[in-house]
């Protein structure tokens, strides 16, 4: 499966302008045979706490992305904000050409960044399959918590980790992505935004690790617009659904003691 990561400079809180960039990227990627195009967290707004501007009651972003997925024949992963009553939820949806196949709410709101003041944490770990690949999602700060990755790894062979991860902690980003790939013996795609967004700077550092923790080579495509952000790029990978082979050849997961871990948690 050909997977593309969109390391895009998000125009702050401007859904229409960012959606136009997504369309332009799809125009280019369709000629490259891309099958799955992954965007960063809060893809069309940036990591904004202005939920009165960004929240959606009726999945408007998902509906617009569905139109693009159907038009270009490419599944798209997109981040958006759901109105959940008193507070919101930080969502990521994977939308296939025939309709939405996964909707995930970030489990761990980022306390250091005041996210819990505006967002509830999610409570489920969905998994979907697209073109033969079982896919799970964990958003940004979720990367620091390994337990959900291990649970999802019972089904998922590819983890998508969309983020707005600031450059000041870029080494942590790469370290944790690689660790999660090694721990779960699965592919891990970290897709980050780029450039100055809001008050923060993002160096990108999007990457796709294989189940042994090796960074895979990518075909690098320049974005089809010019805005002076050197970190912006599209990255295209070709994956084989071979996670089970990795796990059979080096059966680390067979040695996990789930019952013992559950007992420790109960103490």
């Amino acid at each position: 499966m050909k997977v593309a990561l969109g390391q895009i400079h998000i125009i702050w809180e401007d859904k229409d302008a960012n959606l136009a960039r997504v369309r332009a990227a799809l125009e280019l990627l369709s000629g490259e045979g891309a099958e799955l195009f992954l965007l960063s967290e809060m893809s069309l707004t940036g990591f904004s706490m202005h939920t009165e501007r960004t929240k959606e009651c009726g999945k408007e972003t998902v509906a617009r992305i569905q139109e693009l997925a159907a038009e270009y024949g490419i599944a798209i992963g997109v981040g958006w904000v759901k109105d959940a009553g008193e507070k919101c939820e930080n969502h990521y949806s994977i939308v296939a050409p025939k309709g939405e196949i996964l909707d995930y709410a970030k489990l761990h709101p980022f306390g250091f960044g005041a996210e819990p003041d505006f967002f509830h944490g999610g409570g489920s770990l969905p998994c979907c399959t697209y073109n033969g690949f079982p896919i799970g999602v964990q958003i940004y700060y979720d990367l620091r918590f390994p337990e959900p990755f291990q649970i999802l790894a019972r089904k998922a062979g590819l983890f998508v980790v969309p983020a707005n991860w600031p450059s000041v902690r870029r080494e942590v980003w790469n370290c944790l992505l690689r660790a999660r790939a090694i721990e779960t013996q699965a592919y891990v795609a970290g897709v980050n935004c780029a450039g100055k967004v809001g008050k923060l700077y993002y160096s990108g550092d999007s990457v796709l690790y294989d189940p042994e923790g090796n960074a895979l080579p990518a075909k690098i495509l320049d974005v089809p617009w010019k805005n002076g952000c050197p970190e912006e790029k599209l990255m295209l990978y070709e994956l084989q659904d071979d996670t089970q082979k990795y796990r059979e050849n080096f059966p680390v997961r067979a040695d996990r003691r789930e019952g013992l871990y559950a007992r420790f948690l109960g103490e």
Side-chain angles (χ1 to χ4, degrees):
M1 179 170 66
K2 286 191 174 182
V3 178
L5 307 184
Q7 186 167 290
I8 293 173
H9 177 249
I10 301 172
I11 302 169
W12 185 247
E13 296 179 353
D14 192 334
K15 294 181 184 180
D16 289 338
N18 290 308
L19 197 67
R21 289 187 172 180
V22 173
R23 175 182 283 278
L26 287 165
E27 191 73 32
L28 177 61
L29 291 170
S30 63
E32 297 286 340
E35 299 165 76
L36 175 62
F37 180 36
L38 300 172
L39 299 165
S40 62
E41 177 188 23
M42 295 190 189
S43 313
L44 305 185
T45 63
F47 190 69
S48 171
M49 299 300 104
H50 299 146
T51 53
E52 73 281 1
R53 304 176 194 169
T54 62
K55 66 183 179 181
E56 302 178 5
C57 297
K59 289 192 171 183
E60 293 90 342
T61 288
V62 172
R64 298 175 79 179
I65 290 294
Q66 168 58 42
E67 293 175 0
L68 292 176
E71 179 179 349
Y72 289 97
I74 299 173
I76 304 167
V78 65
W80 57 285
V81 174
K82 180 180 180 180
D83 186 342
E86 182 182 349
K87 296 183 182 181
C88 293
E89 291 177 345
N90 184 341
H91 277 245
Y92 196 84
S93 296
I94 296 178
V95 185
K98 293 185 178 180
E100 184 180 4
I101 57 175
L102 181 145
D103 180 35
Y104 166 74
K106 183 178 181 180
L107 298 182
H108 305 92
F110 183 40
F112 184 79
E115 194 176 2
D117 293 344
F118 304 92
F119 290 85
H120 297 292
S124 64
L125 288 172
C127 185
C128 69
T129 299
Y130 185 68
N131 285 7
F133 256 95
I135 303 170
V137 173
Q138 292 284 275
I139 298 174
Y140 180 30
Y141 192 46
D142 288 338
L143 182 60
R144 290 181 178 268
F145 302 90
E147 294 89 350
F149 281 85
Q150 290 292 353
I151 295 167
L152 269 173
R154 297 169 186 169
K155 298 179 181 179
L158 168 64
F159 286 99
V160 178
V161 185
N164 279 204
W165 197 287
S167 61
V168 68
R169 290 186 288 277
R170 64 189 303 190
E171 296 301 325
V172 176
W173 164 254
N174 280 295
C175 178
L176 291 177
L177 287 170
R178 189 175 184 220
R180 299 295 166 261
I182 295 169
E183 290 168 350
T184 61
Q185 295 183 292
Y187 290 95
V188 174
V191 55
N192 198 17
C193 60
K196 191 172 188 301
V197 184
K199 297 179 180 179
L200 295 175
Y201 173 72
Y202 301 89
S203 50
D205 303 302
S206 300
V207 65
L208 205 159
Y209 287 107
D210 73 13
E212 294 181 332
N214 301 305
L216 295 178
K219 181 176 182 178
I220 305 299
L221 306 173
D222 292 331
V223 295
W225 59 85
K226 302 296 180 184
N227 73 338
C229 179
E231 296 84 7
E232 271 195 308
K233 57 187 173 181
L234 304 175
M235 308 167 71
L236 189 63
Y237 300 85
E238 189 152 3
L239 301 187
Q240 302 295 321
D241 183 15
D242 54 6
T243 52
Q244 193 57 37
K245 182 191 75 173
Y246 279 101
R247 292 171 178 179
E248 290 173 355
N249 289 343
F250 189 47
V252 175
R253 294 189 58 76
D255 294 330
R256 288 183 55 79
R257 300 180 65 187
E258 301 287 355
L260 181 63
Y261 308 152
R263 182 165 64 82
F264 290 156
L265 287 171
E267 292 178 353

